[in-house]
Amino acid sequence: MIAFASASTGVQVRLRLRPVDTSFFDLFTQSAQHLVEGAGLLAEMLAENADREAVAERMRAAEHAADETTHAIVKKVNSTFVTPFDREDLYKLGSGLDDVMDMMDEAVDLILLYEVSTIPTELSAQVDVLQRCAELTSAAMPRLQSMNSLEDYWIEINRLENTGDRNHRRMLAQLFSGEYKTIEVLKLKDIVESLEAAIDAFEAVANIVEQIAVKEG
């Protein structure tokens, strides 16, 4: 931070100088693009007659690629003398993006391992929320560099998280309505909770972005 006084007004002005290196923003953008892919694979997993084994294999590859990007972010933070934001915020953002991918990967893995025969249609609505969250997050990451037009992003993510909460309650109510056998309820509940956790993780990322914007504003 540099402070100087205006010659004409005597008012002190503060300027924050940021490094011009864009690699951090490129890495966060890449990390968010993994989430778009992961959400798309989750939607494929719910499709009728999906080759679940093949989709799960692709998801594992996508999750591995996301891990590699997260490791690159951590390495970049550790090796960079002057970072664009606080190091703690950079770590939190990288970790938050990785958490989303982990939860979507878990949901895909559970659908495969539990050999769920019937997928409630309400699950698709929840995955639609996840896909929208992924698209918004991917679009927001490049704007971190300029801090422009980010407020709409975290407001919309918060709205989507509220929609996800309502979907979650409705799905639980349906599961315990007596329509499903006990073993199916247990299986589906785990999947429902993973989807809810993924949406919550998207909101956590949006909250981190908001905190960074407040600090840097």
Side-chain angles (χ1 to χ4, degrees):
M1 181 83 73
I2 294 177
F4 65 91
S6 169
S8 60
T9 65
V11 176
Q12 191 176 69
V13 179
R14 292 181 178 272
L15 295 178
R16 182 182 295 275
L17 298 182
R18 291 179 181 160
V20 296
D21 182 7
T22 64
S23 57
F24 275 109
F25 308 106
D26 294 339
L27 285 169
F28 286 127
T29 298
Q30 182 178 331
S31 185
Q33 287 169 347
H34 292 311
L35 303 184
V36 174
E37 180 183 4
L41 289 169
L42 187 49
E44 283 188 46
M45 198 69 173
L46 298 183
E48 188 176 356
N49 299 322
D51 184 343
R52 291 180 178 173
E53 187 69 55
V55 175
E57 182 62 31
R58 288 161 59 204
M59 187 61 156
R60 283 190 286 271
E63 195 275 334
H64 178 72
D67 280 345
E68 290 298 312
T69 301
T70 302
H71 295 156
I73 291 170
V74 172
K75 183 177 180 180
K76 184 70 177 175
V77 174
N78 291 337
S79 62
T80 301
F81 182 67
V82 180
T83 58
F85 311 133
D86 289 346
R87 292 177 189 275
E88 181 182 355
D89 291 331
L90 293 169
Y91 283 127
K92 285 169 61 178
L93 183 55
S95 176
L97 291 165
D98 190 60
D99 287 344
V100 178
M101 194 67 174
D102 286 345
M103 296 315 304
M104 291 194 294
D105 178 55
E106 177 180 295
V108 166
D109 204 33
L110 288 174
I111 293 170
L112 177 68
L113 294 176
Y114 284 173
E115 298 181 345
V116 177
S117 57
T118 302
I119 300 291
T121 55
E122 288 76 10
L123 283 184
S124 295
Q126 200 73 317
V127 172
D128 287 343
V129 172
L130 279 168
Q131 286 188 285
R132 182 59 182 150
C133 285
E135 291 165 0
L136 289 168
T137 303
S138 180
M141 289 301 107
R143 301 202 299 271
L144 282 173
Q145 186 171 7
S146 63
M147 286 294 165
N148 289 333
S149 305
L150 283 169
E151 185 175 0
D152 289 347
Y153 154 67
W154 64 68
I155 289 174
E156 180 62 9
I157 290 290
N158 179 259
R159 187 193 69 79
L160 287 167
E161 194 276 335
N162 290 334
T163 299
D165 281 345
R166 290 191 293 272
N167 291 341
H168 181 247
R169 291 191 290 269
R170 282 195 291 267
M171 284 188 289
L172 289 180
Q174 182 183 5
L175 287 181
F176 292 104
S177 66
E179 180 181 346
Y180 298 92
K181 295 180 180 179
T182 301
I183 188 63
E184 290 298 312
V185 170
L186 295 175
K187 292 177 180 180
L188 289 170
K189 187 174 184 296
D190 280 351
I191 297 167
V192 167
E193 297 297 343
S194 292
L195 296 179
E196 169 73 0
I199 294 173
D200 287 344
F202 267 119
E203 185 181 39
V205 168
N207 289 340
I208 294 167
V209 171
E210 182 178 6
Q211 291 165 11
I212 292 172
V214 170
K215 286 183 181 179
E216 301 298 319

